[in-house]
Amino acid sequence: MVLVTGATGFLGSELVSQLLLKGEKVRAIKRSSSIIPLIIKNEHNIEWVDADLLDYFSLDEALVGIKNVYHCAALVSFAQKDKKQMMKVNVEGTSNLLNASVAHNVDKLLHVSSVAAVGDSKHNDLITEKNHWEFGAGQSSYSVSKYESEMEVFRAAAEGLNTVIVNPSIIIGRNAGSEGSGQLFEAIRKGLPYYPGGSFGYVDVTDVASAMIRLMESDISNERFIISAENWSYRDLFSEIATGLNKKQPAIALQPWMLNVARYGKGILSALSGKPNSLNKDTVRTAFKKQNYSNEKIKKALNLEFRSVRETIAEICKNYNTN
């Protein structure tokens, strides 16, 4: 049996769906207040368990009889008010899960991190797993929390736990709804005239979940992998989405100073960060950085081919236009 944390989230629910299609027995952790997504709501082969990452003993009970663990749960925020709780959930919670997994002799644990925990490129080269992450004023609290959670994974690996880390870029897909990356589509649907000057990596949620399962089933251990299909400038991405939604393309290049006065800034940056947030230096910085990622390591390891971002955008837009 496998255990999935964060099973009610966008990625977690897709992962559970794919695991069930493969005939896996799935135990999924949720909070008592969690809403189960439609994609798995009517699945009867999921053993749901109410547990909290900050409660070691609830995790200890959830891990009884578990062979493999997919750790998808995390708090994502760029708001200063969430910093303390985010560090607790993402770092302390991950540590609790790792410790319980070691105690239960779990065969393998796959940890979902983020490209936020990967270092930047110094000369605008493609960012790889070898880019060294550095503490500094330029790092968001979210980035720090994901980096430190990876340090906990490395610690558990040194203690003998078989681990793999994945670092997805921005995950997109039709089941995102109006949350996370879905906020970007919603903002453009409502008529967004601006685009920021940066770029980022994107990947279909189905590809991320599939890669995670294949990594779990492989002999690969104690490695980390960037999972990103393609790099797109925000201008090209916004234009592609606008075309798919039959909306006017954003035509005004957003300038950094404008984010301090433009109400559009919050909608754009919430979409890029994945959560509703107030404007702050972290989200402003994200909008104008050119962050382009290499996927060579994961492609070589799994002989993997990604779905095109354009195809995923078209599917999401079709879903909008028919609802």
Side-chain angles (χ1 to χ4, degrees):
M1 177 174 278
V2 301
L3 180 72
V4 179
T5 73
T8 60
F10 176 39
L11 173 59
S13 59
E14 173 63 32
L15 173 66
V16 168
S17 178
Q18 291 192 25
L19 287 168
L20 292 174
L21 286 174
K22 290 177 64 64
E24 290 277 8
K25 294 181 179 179
V26 177
R27 181 179 296 158
I29 286 179
K30 69 177 183 65
R31 295 185 298 254
S32 58
S33 59
S34 297
I35 298 174
I36 299 175
L38 288 175
I39 187 176
I40 54 174
K41 187 173 184 178
N42 296 318
E43 293 286 355
H44 301 294
N45 295 323
I46 305 171
E47 181 185 332
W48 288 102
V49 175
D50 287 348
D52 190 323
L53 288 175
L54 298 179
D55 179 358
Y56 176 86
F57 297 103
S58 69
L59 296 175
D60 185 60
E61 292 180 7
L63 279 161
V64 173
I66 293 298
K67 179 181 179 181
N68 295 322
V69 176
Y70 293 91
H71 181 33
C72 304
L75 177 58
V76 182
S77 178
F78 289 79
Q80 188 63 27
K81 66 180 180 63
D82 295 328
K83 178 180 179 179
K84 184 176 180 180
Q85 183 64 12
M86 184 166 57
M87 293 298 292
K88 284 183 68 67
V89 171
N90 294 356
V91 183
E92 182 182 329
T94 296
S95 179
N96 285 338
L97 181 64
L98 290 162
N99 292 339
S101 296
V102 170
H104 282 270
N105 295 312
V106 165
D107 285 353
K108 195 171 188 177
L109 182 145
L110 186 146
H111 172 68
V112 180
S113 184
S114 165
V115 288
V118 180
D120 291 335
S121 170
K122 300 297 184 183
H123 304 289
N124 291 323
D125 297 326
L126 289 178
I127 298 169
T128 75
E129 293 83 354
K130 294 181 179 180
N131 283 81
H132 181 64
W133 189 93
E134 298 176 347
F135 279 100
Q139 300 292 358
S140 68
S141 297
Y142 173 67
S143 178
V144 173
S145 77
K146 297 306 287 184
Y147 174 78
E148 292 193 0
S149 70
E150 288 194 13
M151 294 303 101
E152 288 297 317
V153 177
F154 295 146
R155 184 265 304 168
E159 294 174 3
L161 182 63
N162 190 6
T163 66
V164 176
I165 296 173
V166 294
N167 301 84
S169 55
I170 293 180
I171 304 174
I172 59 176
R174 65 178 182 177
N175 291 318
S178 59
E179 298 297 321
S181 61
Q183 293 181 77
L184 177 56
F185 288 80
E186 187 66 18
I188 294 175
R189 185 185 69 82
K190 291 179 178 178
L192 188 67
Y194 297 92
Y195 63 87
S199 61
F200 213 87
Y202 299 85
V203 62
D204 191 293
V205 65
T206 60
D207 282 341
V208 180
S210 176
M212 289 166 61
I213 293 171
R214 291 178 62 183
L215 284 169
M216 182 68 83
E217 293 175 343
S218 74
D219 294 328
I220 296 169
S221 65
N222 302 331
E223 294 278 355
R224 65 201 290 255
F225 296 89
I226 290 172
I227 303 184
S228 186
E230 299 171 18
N231 301 299
W232 283 57
S233 70
Y234 295 133
R235 179 178 186 176
D236 289 345
L237 183 79
F238 288 17
S239 295
E240 186 74 17
I241 295 172
T243 297
L245 294 174
N246 298 313
K247 299 295 180 180
K248 186 176 180 180
Q249 293 189 2
I252 303 173
L254 193 64
Q255 302 300 320
W257 64 266
M258 295 171 67
L259 292 181
N260 295 317
V261 295
R263 63 185 176 87
Y264 303 104
K266 289 186 179 181
I268 294 172
L269 296 175
S270 291
L272 298 182
S273 65
K275 286 286 182 179
N277 294 295
S278 299
L279 290 175
N280 57 55
K281 61 182 181 181
D282 294 330
T283 51
V284 170
R285 189 181 298 111
T286 297
F288 295 95
K289 288 176 69 175
K290 290 180 171 60
Q291 296 170 280
N292 299 316
Y293 297 91
S294 169
N295 57 20
E296 286 305 308
K297 184 176 179 180
I298 188 69
K299 288 176 68 175
K300 183 177 180 179
L302 300 179
N303 192 25
L304 182 67
E305 291 298 328
F306 288 98
R307 186 182 190 191
S308 77
V309 169
R310 180 168 281 108
E311 183 180 351
T312 303
I313 291 173
E315 181 180 74
I316 298 170
C317 292
K318 182 179 179 181
N319 191 54
Y320 265 95
N321 293 334
T322 55
N323 289 334

Short mmCIF file of all heavy atoms in Angstrom, two decimals, residues 75-78 86-87 90-91 113-120 133-136 138-151 167 224 282 285-286 289 291 293:
data_model
loop_
_atom_site.label_atom_id
_atom_site.label_comp_id
_atom_site.label_asym_id
_atom_site.label_seq_id
_atom_site.Cartn_x
_atom_site.Cartn_y
_atom_site.Cartn_z
N LEU A 75 2.48 23.98 2.29
CA LEU A 75 1.81 25.28 2.31
C LEU A 75 2.57 26.20 1.37
O LEU A 75 3.79 26.35 1.48
CB LEU A 75 1.81 25.86 3.73
CG LEU A 75 1.20 27.26 3.92
CD1 LEU A 75 -0.25 27.29 3.45
CD2 LEU A 75 1.29 27.67 5.38
N VAL A 76 1.84 26.79 0.41
CA VAL A 76 2.45 27.68 -0.58
C VAL A 76 1.93 29.09 -0.35
O VAL A 76 0.73 29.34 -0.43
CB VAL A 76 2.11 27.25 -2.03
CG1 VAL A 76 2.81 28.18 -3.03
CG2 VAL A 76 2.47 25.81 -2.27
N SER A 77 2.82 30.01 -0.03
CA SER A 77 2.42 31.40 0.16
C SER A 77 3.64 32.30 0.05
O SER A 77 4.76 31.89 0.37
CB SER A 77 1.77 31.58 1.54
OG SER A 77 1.43 32.94 1.74
N PHE A 78 3.40 33.52 -0.42
CA PHE A 78 4.46 34.52 -0.46
C PHE A 78 4.11 35.69 0.46
O PHE A 78 4.75 36.73 0.43
CB PHE A 78 4.68 35.02 -1.90
CG PHE A 78 5.33 34.00 -2.78
CD1 PHE A 78 4.59 32.96 -3.33
CD2 PHE A 78 6.68 34.05 -3.06
CE1 PHE A 78 5.18 31.99 -4.13
CE2 PHE A 78 7.29 33.09 -3.87
CZ PHE A 78 6.54 32.07 -4.40
N MET A 86 4.16 28.48 7.44
CA MET A 86 4.72 27.79 6.27
C MET A 86 6.01 27.05 6.64
O MET A 86 6.22 25.91 6.21
CB MET A 86 4.99 28.79 5.15
CG MET A 86 5.49 28.16 3.86
SD MET A 86 5.38 29.32 2.48
CE MET A 86 6.37 30.68 3.10
N MET A 87 6.84 27.66 7.45
CA MET A 87 8.07 27.00 7.88
C MET A 87 7.75 25.77 8.72
O MET A 87 8.39 24.72 8.60
CB MET A 87 8.94 27.96 8.67
CG MET A 87 9.51 29.11 7.83
SD MET A 87 10.62 28.57 6.48
CE MET A 87 12.00 27.93 7.42
N ASN A 90 6.03 23.08 6.16
CA ASN A 90 6.92 22.58 5.11
C ASN A 90 8.21 21.95 5.64
O ASN A 90 8.73 21.01 5.02
CB ASN A 90 7.26 23.71 4.14
CG ASN A 90 6.05 24.18 3.36
OD1 ASN A 90 4.96 23.63 3.49
ND2 ASN A 90 6.22 25.22 2.56
N VAL A 91 8.71 22.44 6.74
CA VAL A 91 9.97 21.91 7.27
C VAL A 91 9.71 20.94 8.42
O VAL A 91 10.08 19.76 8.35
CB VAL A 91 10.91 23.05 7.73
CG1 VAL A 91 12.24 22.47 8.20
CG2 VAL A 91 11.13 24.05 6.60
N SER A 113 9.19 18.82 -3.97
CA SER A 113 9.73 20.13 -3.62
C SER A 113 9.26 21.14 -4.67
O SER A 113 8.10 21.13 -5.06
CB SER A 113 11.25 20.05 -3.54
OG SER A 113 11.80 21.28 -3.10
N SER A 114 10.13 21.98 -5.13
CA SER A 114 9.79 23.02 -6.09
C SER A 114 11.07 23.55 -6.72
O SER A 114 12.15 23.44 -6.14
CB SER A 114 9.05 24.16 -5.38
OG SER A 114 8.99 25.32 -6.17
N VAL A 115 10.93 24.13 -7.90
CA VAL A 115 12.10 24.79 -8.49
C VAL A 115 12.52 26.00 -7.65
O VAL A 115 13.61 26.53 -7.82
CB VAL A 115 11.84 25.23 -9.95
CG1 VAL A 115 11.78 24.04 -10.89
CG2 VAL A 115 10.59 26.09 -10.05
N ALA A 116 11.65 26.41 -6.72
CA ALA A 116 12.02 27.50 -5.81
C ALA A 116 13.20 27.11 -4.92
O ALA A 116 13.86 27.98 -4.36
CB ALA A 116 10.82 27.88 -4.94
N ALA A 117 13.46 25.80 -4.81
CA ALA A 117 14.58 25.33 -3.99
C ALA A 117 15.82 25.05 -4.82
O ALA A 117 16.81 24.51 -4.31
CB ALA A 117 14.17 24.06 -3.24
N VAL A 118 15.78 25.40 -6.11
CA VAL A 118 16.92 25.22 -7.00
C VAL A 118 17.58 26.57 -7.22
O VAL A 118 16.90 27.60 -7.33
CB VAL A 118 16.49 24.62 -8.35
CG1 VAL A 118 17.68 24.44 -9.28
CG2 VAL A 118 15.77 23.30 -8.14
N GLY A 119 18.88 26.60 -7.28
CA GLY A 119 19.60 27.86 -7.44
C GLY A 119 19.37 28.51 -8.79
O GLY A 119 19.01 27.86 -9.78
N ASP A 120 19.57 29.82 -8.85
CA ASP A 120 19.42 30.57 -10.09
C ASP A 120 20.65 30.40 -10.98
O ASP A 120 21.73 30.01 -10.53
CB ASP A 120 19.24 32.06 -9.80
CG ASP A 120 17.91 32.35 -9.13
OD1 ASP A 120 16.96 31.56 -9.32
OD2 ASP A 120 17.82 33.37 -8.41
N TRP A 133 21.64 26.57 -4.59
CA TRP A 133 20.73 27.51 -3.93
C TRP A 133 21.47 28.25 -2.83
O TRP A 133 22.25 27.64 -2.08
CB TRP A 133 19.55 26.73 -3.34
CG TRP A 133 18.42 27.57 -2.81
CD1 TRP A 133 17.29 27.95 -3.49
CD2 TRP A 133 18.30 28.14 -1.50
NE1 TRP A 133 16.48 28.70 -2.68
CE2 TRP A 133 17.08 28.83 -1.45
CE3 TRP A 133 19.11 28.11 -0.37
CZ2 TRP A 133 16.64 29.50 -0.32
CZ3 TRP A 133 18.69 28.79 0.78
CH2 TRP A 133 17.46 29.47 0.78
N GLU A 134 21.27 29.57 -2.73
CA GLU A 134 21.99 30.35 -1.74
C GLU A 134 21.02 31.17 -0.91
O GLU A 134 20.06 31.75 -1.43
CB GLU A 134 22.98 31.30 -2.44
CG GLU A 134 24.06 30.58 -3.23
CD GLU A 134 24.95 31.56 -3.98
OE1 GLU A 134 24.58 32.74 -4.06
OE2 GLU A 134 26.02 31.13 -4.46
N PHE A 135 21.28 31.22 0.39
CA PHE A 135 20.51 32.10 1.25
C PHE A 135 20.83 33.55 0.88
O PHE A 135 21.94 33.88 0.50
CB PHE A 135 20.89 31.88 2.72
CG PHE A 135 20.20 30.71 3.36
CD1 PHE A 135 20.87 29.50 3.50
CD2 PHE A 135 18.90 30.80 3.81
CE1 PHE A 135 20.26 28.41 4.10
CE2 PHE A 135 18.27 29.71 4.40
CZ PHE A 135 18.94 28.51 4.53
N GLY A 136 19.83 34.42 1.00
CA GLY A 136 20.05 35.82 0.69
C GLY A 136 18.75 36.57 0.68
O GLY A 136 17.65 35.99 0.76
N GLY A 138 17.32 37.86 -1.68
CA GLY A 138 16.51 37.59 -2.87
C GLY A 138 15.65 36.35 -2.78
O GLY A 138 14.87 36.06 -3.69
N GLN A 139 15.74 35.59 -1.68
CA GLN A 139 14.97 34.36 -1.55
C GLN A 139 13.68 34.63 -0.77
O GLN A 139 13.69 35.26 0.28
CB GLN A 139 15.80 33.29 -0.83
CG GLN A 139 17.08 32.91 -1.54
CD GLN A 139 16.85 32.19 -2.85
OE1 GLN A 139 15.72 31.93 -3.25
NE2 GLN A 139 17.93 31.86 -3.54
N SER A 140 12.59 34.10 -1.29
CA SER A 140 11.31 34.22 -0.59
C SER A 140 11.26 33.24 0.57
O SER A 140 12.02 32.27 0.64
CB SER A 140 10.15 33.92 -1.55
OG SER A 140 10.16 32.54 -1.93
N SER A 141 10.34 33.49 1.49
CA SER A 141 10.16 32.57 2.62
C SER A 141 9.75 31.20 2.12
O SER A 141 10.14 30.17 2.69
CB SER A 141 9.11 33.13 3.58
OG SER A 141 9.53 34.36 4.13
N TYR A 142 8.95 31.16 1.07
CA TYR A 142 8.54 29.88 0.49
C TYR A 142 9.76 29.11 -0.02
O TYR A 142 9.92 27.92 0.23
CB TYR A 142 7.55 30.10 -0.64
CG TYR A 142 7.21 28.84 -1.40
CD1 TYR A 142 6.50 27.81 -0.78
CD2 TYR A 142 7.59 28.67 -2.74
CE1 TYR A 142 6.19 26.64 -1.46
CE2 TYR A 142 7.29 27.50 -3.42
CZ TYR A 142 6.58 26.49 -2.78
OH TYR A 142 6.30 25.33 -3.45
N SER A 143 10.64 29.82 -0.72
CA SER A 143 11.85 29.20 -1.24
C SER A 143 12.70 28.64 -0.10
O SER A 143 13.21 27.52 -0.18
CB SER A 143 12.66 30.23 -2.05
OG SER A 143 13.87 29.67 -2.52
N VAL A 144 12.84 29.41 0.96
CA VAL A 144 13.62 28.95 2.12
C VAL A 144 13.00 27.69 2.72
O VAL A 144 13.69 26.73 3.05
CB VAL A 144 13.71 30.06 3.19
CG1 VAL A 144 14.36 29.53 4.47
CG2 VAL A 144 14.49 31.26 2.66
N SER A 145 11.66 27.69 2.84
CA SER A 145 10.98 26.54 3.44
C SER A 145 11.16 25.28 2.60
O SER A 145 11.33 24.18 3.14
CB SER A 145 9.49 26.84 3.64
OG SER A 145 8.76 26.77 2.43
N LYS A 146 11.14 25.42 1.28
CA LYS A 146 11.31 24.24 0.43
C LYS A 146 12.75 23.76 0.42
O LYS A 146 13.02 22.56 0.38
CB LYS A 146 10.84 24.55 -1.00
CG LYS A 146 9.35 24.88 -1.12
CD LYS A 146 8.46 23.81 -0.50
CE LYS A 146 8.38 22.54 -1.32
NZ LYS A 146 7.43 21.56 -0.74
N TYR A 147 13.68 24.70 0.47
CA TYR A 147 15.10 24.32 0.55
C TYR A 147 15.36 23.58 1.86
O TYR A 147 16.00 22.51 1.86
CB TYR A 147 15.98 25.56 0.46
CG TYR A 147 17.44 25.27 0.67
CD1 TYR A 147 18.22 24.71 -0.34
CD2 TYR A 147 18.05 25.53 1.90
CE1 TYR A 147 19.57 24.43 -0.14
CE2 TYR A 147 19.40 25.24 2.11
CZ TYR A 147 20.15 24.69 1.08
OH TYR A 147 21.48 24.40 1.29
N GLU A 148 14.87 24.11 2.96
CA GLU A 148 15.12 23.47 4.24
C GLU A 148 14.39 22.13 4.36
O GLU A 148 14.89 21.21 5.03
CB GLU A 148 14.73 24.41 5.38
CG GLU A 148 15.64 25.63 5.47
CD GLU A 148 15.49 26.41 6.75
OE1 GLU A 148 14.66 26.01 7.61
OE2 GLU A 148 16.20 27.42 6.91
N SER A 149 13.25 22.00 3.70
CA SER A 149 12.57 20.70 3.71
C SER A 149 13.40 19.67 2.94
O SER A 149 13.45 18.49 3.31
CB SER A 149 11.16 20.81 3.12
OG SER A 149 11.18 21.05 1.73
N GLU A 150 14.07 20.10 1.87
CA GLU A 150 14.96 19.19 1.15
C GLU A 150 16.14 18.77 2.03
O GLU A 150 16.60 17.63 1.95
CB GLU A 150 15.48 19.85 -0.13
CG GLU A 150 14.43 19.98 -1.23
CD GLU A 150 15.04 20.32 -2.58
OE1 GLU A 150 16.29 20.23 -2.72
OE2 GLU A 150 14.28 20.67 -3.50
N MET A 151 16.63 19.69 2.85
CA MET A 151 17.72 19.34 3.76
C MET A 151 17.27 18.24 4.73
O MET A 151 18.06 17.36 5.10
CB MET A 151 18.18 20.57 4.55
CG MET A 151 18.84 21.67 3.71
SD MET A 151 20.28 21.10 2.76
CE MET A 151 19.56 20.89 1.12
N ASN A 167 11.42 18.50 -8.34
CA ASN A 167 11.30 19.96 -8.29
C ASN A 167 10.50 20.45 -9.50
O ASN A 167 11.07 20.83 -10.52
CB ASN A 167 12.69 20.61 -8.32
CG ASN A 167 13.57 20.18 -7.17
OD1 ASN A 167 14.22 19.14 -7.21
ND2 ASN A 167 13.58 20.98 -6.11
N ARG A 224 17.63 14.11 -7.11
CA ARG A 224 16.56 15.11 -7.28
C ARG A 224 16.45 15.48 -8.75
O ARG A 224 17.46 15.48 -9.49
CB ARG A 224 16.81 16.34 -6.41
CG ARG A 224 18.04 17.13 -6.77
CD ARG A 224 18.51 18.00 -5.61
NE ARG A 224 17.62 19.12 -5.33
CZ ARG A 224 17.90 20.39 -5.66
NH1 ARG A 224 19.02 20.68 -6.30
NH2 ARG A 224 17.09 21.35 -5.34
N ASP A 282 8.98 39.88 -2.92
CA ASP A 282 9.20 38.54 -3.45
C ASP A 282 8.41 38.30 -4.73
O ASP A 282 8.93 37.79 -5.72
CB ASP A 282 8.82 37.48 -2.41
CG ASP A 282 9.73 37.52 -1.19
OD1 ASP A 282 10.89 37.89 -1.36
OD2 ASP A 282 9.26 37.17 -0.10
N ARG A 285 9.64 40.49 -7.64
CA ARG A 285 10.88 39.95 -8.20
C ARG A 285 10.60 38.78 -9.14
O ARG A 285 11.22 38.65 -10.20
CB ARG A 285 11.80 39.51 -7.05
CG ARG A 285 13.20 39.13 -7.49
CD ARG A 285 14.05 38.67 -6.30
NE ARG A 285 14.20 39.71 -5.32
CZ ARG A 285 13.67 39.71 -4.10
NH1 ARG A 285 12.93 38.68 -3.72
NH2 ARG A 285 13.87 40.69 -3.27
N THR A 286 9.67 37.93 -8.75
CA THR A 286 9.32 36.76 -9.56
C THR A 286 8.84 37.15 -10.95
O THR A 286 9.17 36.50 -11.94
CB THR A 286 8.22 35.94 -8.85
OG1 THR A 286 8.74 35.46 -7.61
CG2 THR A 286 7.79 34.75 -9.70
N LYS A 289 11.96 38.16 -13.31
CA LYS A 289 13.13 37.29 -13.47
C LYS A 289 12.95 36.36 -14.66
O LYS A 289 11.84 35.91 -14.93
CB LYS A 289 13.35 36.45 -12.21
CG LYS A 289 13.87 37.23 -11.03
CD LYS A 289 13.97 36.36 -9.78
CE LYS A 289 15.06 35.32 -9.90
NZ LYS A 289 15.23 34.54 -8.64
N GLN A 291 13.66 32.87 -15.55
CA GLN A 291 14.01 31.60 -14.93
C GLN A 291 13.65 30.46 -15.88
O GLN A 291 12.49 30.09 -16.00
CB GLN A 291 13.29 31.45 -13.59
CG GLN A 291 13.71 32.50 -12.56
CD GLN A 291 12.83 32.49 -11.34
OE1 GLN A 291 11.73 33.04 -11.36
NE2 GLN A 291 13.29 31.87 -10.28
N TYR A 293 14.43 26.52 -17.17
CA TYR A 293 14.88 25.28 -16.54
C TYR A 293 15.20 24.19 -17.56
O TYR A 293 14.51 24.03 -18.57
CB TYR A 293 13.82 24.79 -15.56
CG TYR A 293 13.60 25.77 -14.44
CD1 TYR A 293 12.62 26.76 -14.54
CD2 TYR A 293 14.39 25.74 -13.31
CE1 TYR A 293 12.44 27.68 -13.53
CE2 TYR A 293 14.22 26.66 -12.28
CZ TYR A 293 13.24 27.63 -12.40
OH TYR A 293 13.07 28.55 -11.40
#
